[in-house]
């Protein structure tokens, strides 16, 4: 389609040369209810490197989730710019934004959001249908992705027949369905036991290292921070620091 060809493919080489898959520039978000204004973001600026594993940290109400939604195209800023592959997503119309969400970004939600009446493979095939891929080709691709996340033998099972960790793996597989450049995960280990959480973290690391996927998580899980390439801290609507595991010592009592 013309949008796909002209808007994204035209700048693909320039985007690759820049080394950044996402750029947020002075992003502000104000929620208004009557005369009351809530400033969720107060001018956040960050460049996210293609293929990195970035963890976003911050206390409740810090603006962490708001920034997470901005860089994933789930919400638009009140002011400032968010670019995905050099495209200002605030300028996209609803159709163009839907195209971007479907093909460029994969979303993993804390509550999994799987369709209970569908099998694993059907859940993974659903985004492919939205992207125009169906039939045997989509089924083969979905099975291949399920194999990658360790669920090849559970393809025909429904979510209610699976553990929380297995459902999270299905959610990851579904997010990978259209081969996205960016994977957004909201508290992906929050509902999992220690061992399963560690397995999910290792899986994210593998996706970065082997597929070049940019993984961005909103998290409070210290184990995830140690595996990340960079950690971004948000306080009171501002990015207070960006560091690496090597540059900091992780002490539980320092995490607010």
């Amino acid at each position: 389609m013309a949008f796909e060809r002209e808007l994204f493919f035209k700048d693909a080489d320039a985007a690759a040369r820049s080394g950044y898959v996402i750029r947020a520039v002075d992003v502000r978000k104000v929620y208004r209810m009557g005369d009351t204004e809530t400033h969720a973001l107060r001018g956040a600026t960050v460049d996210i490197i293609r293929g990195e594993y970035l963890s976003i940290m911050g206390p409740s109400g810090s603006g962490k989730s708001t920034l997470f939604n901005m860089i994933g195209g789930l919400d638009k800023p009140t002011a400032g710019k968010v670019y995905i592959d050099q495209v200002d997503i605030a300028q996209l119309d609803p159709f163009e934004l839907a195209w971007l969400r479907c093909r460029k970004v994969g979303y993993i939600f804390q509550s999994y959001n799987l369709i209970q009446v569908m099998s694993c493979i059907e859940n993974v095939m659903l985004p492919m249908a939205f992207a125009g891929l169906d039939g045997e080709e989509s089924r083969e691709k979905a099975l291949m992705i399920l194999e990658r996340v360790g669920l090849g033998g559970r393809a025909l099972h429904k979510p209610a027949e699976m553990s929380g960790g297995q459902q999270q793996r299905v959610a990851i597989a579904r997010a990978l369905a259209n081969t996205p450049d960016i994977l957004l995960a909201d508290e992906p280990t929050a509902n999992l036991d220690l061992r399963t959480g560690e397995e999910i973290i290792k899986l994210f690391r593998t996706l970065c290292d082997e597929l070049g996927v940019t993984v961005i998580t909103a998290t409070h899980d210290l184990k995830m921070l140690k595996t990340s390439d960079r950690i971004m801290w948000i306080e009171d609507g501002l990015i207070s620091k960006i560091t690496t595991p090597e540059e900091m010592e992780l002490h539980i009592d320092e995490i607010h």
Side-chain angles (χ1 to χ4, degrees), residues 211-224:
L211 300 182
V213 177
T214 303
V215 175
I216 303 168
T217 67
T219 184
H220 288 95
D221 192 335
L222 295 181
K223 299 186 300 301
M224 187 168 290

Side-chain angles (χ1 to χ4, degrees), residues 158-180:
K158 293 182 179 178
E161 302 169 329
M162 310 180 77
S163 68
Q166 290 171 330
Q167 290 185 59
Q168 186 65 291
R169 288 175 181 270
V170 177
I172 294 170
R174 181 184 58 189
L176 294 171
N178 290 326
T179 320

Side-chain angles (χ1 to χ4, degrees), residues 53 169 189 195-210 223-224 227:
Y53 188 151
R169 288 175 181 270
T189 60
R195 182 183 63 81
T196 306
E198 289 176 342
E199 291 174 354
I200 294 300
I201 292 168
K202 289 178 183 177
L203 178 56
F204 284 145
R205 184 73 260 175
T206 299
L207 294 174
C208 277
D209 295 341
E210 295 185 3
K223 299 186 300 301
M224 187 168 290
T227 308

Side-chain angles (χ1 to χ4, degrees), residues 23-254:
R23 301 191 70 215
V25 182
D26 196 26
V27 174
R28 300 171 185 270
K29 184 65 177 181
V30 180
Y31 295 100
R32 294 182 175 88
M33 182 173 292
D35 296 330
T36 302
E37 290 188 348
T38 300
H39 293 259
L41 291 175
R42 301 173 182 270
T45 296
V46 63
D47 292 331
I48 298 176
I49 301 166
R50 190 177 304 278
E52 78 169 322
Y53 188 151
L54 176 71
S55 290
I56 303 175
M57 288 285 292
S60 251
S62 64
K64 174 177 84 266
S65 295
T66 302
L67 181 60
F68 183 82
N69 290 338
M70 296 292 165
I71 61 181
L74 295 173
D75 198 359
K76 292 186 177 183
T78 304
K81 303 285 187 182
V82 177
Y83 301 91
I84 294 182
D85 279 345
Q86 298 193 347
V87 175
D88 179 0
I89 63 176
Q91 302 304 313
L92 303 183
D93 64 32
F95 172 80
E96 294 167 342
L97 190 56
W99 183 95
L100 180 143
R101 289 172 179 158
C102 184
R103 293 166 175 81
K104 302 288 285 187
V105 185
Y107 301 94
I108 303 167
F109 301 99
Q110 183 176 343
S111 56
Y112 316 140
N113 286 1
L114 300 176
I115 298 177
Q116 298 297 310
V117 297
M118 287 185 169
S119 65
C120 288
I121 195 166
E122 289 169 337
N123 269 280
V124 177
M125 290 169 63
L126 191 58
M128 299 183 202
F130 293 146
L133 182 68
D134 54 21
E136 191 58 32
E137 185 178 358
S138 66
R139 191 172 186 85
E140 289 178 3
K141 184 178 180 182
L143 185 56
M144 179 184 67
I145 297 170
L146 285 169
E147 291 279 0
R148 174 171 280 277
V149 301
L151 288 177
R154 307 280 286 180
L156 300 180
H157 291 245
K158 293 182 179 178
E161 302 169 329
M162 310 180 77
S163 68
Q166 290 171 330
Q167 290 185 59
Q168 186 65 291
R169 288 175 181 270
V170 177
I172 294 170
R174 181 184 58 189
L176 294 171
N178 290 326
T179 320
D181 295 327
I182 303 158
L183 200 59
L184 284 176
D186 184 13
E187 299 285 2
T189 60
N191 298 325
L192 306 177
D193 61 62
L194 178 63
R195 182 183 63 81
T196 306
E198 289 176 342
E199 291 174 354
I200 294 300
I201 292 168
K202 289 178 183 177
L203 178 56
F204 284 145
R205 184 73 260 175
T206 299
L207 294 174
C208 277
D209 295 341
E210 295 185 3
L211 300 182
V213 177
T214 303
V215 175
I216 303 168
T217 67
T219 184
H220 288 95
D221 192 335
L222 295 181
K223 299 186 300 301
M224 187 168 290
L225 303 190
K226 294 176 183 178
T227 308
S228 305
D229 294 311
R230 293 193 298 166
I231 304 112
M232 181 166 66
W233 306 80
I234 298 183
E235 297 177 15
D236 195 25
L238 292 169
I239 297 172
S240 59
K241 63 180 175 179
I242 301 176
T243 186
T244 67
E246 293 75 22
E247 292 170 341
M248 63 177 292
E249 294 180 1
L250 292 172
H251 298 291
I252 293 178
D253 59 355
E254 292 178 357

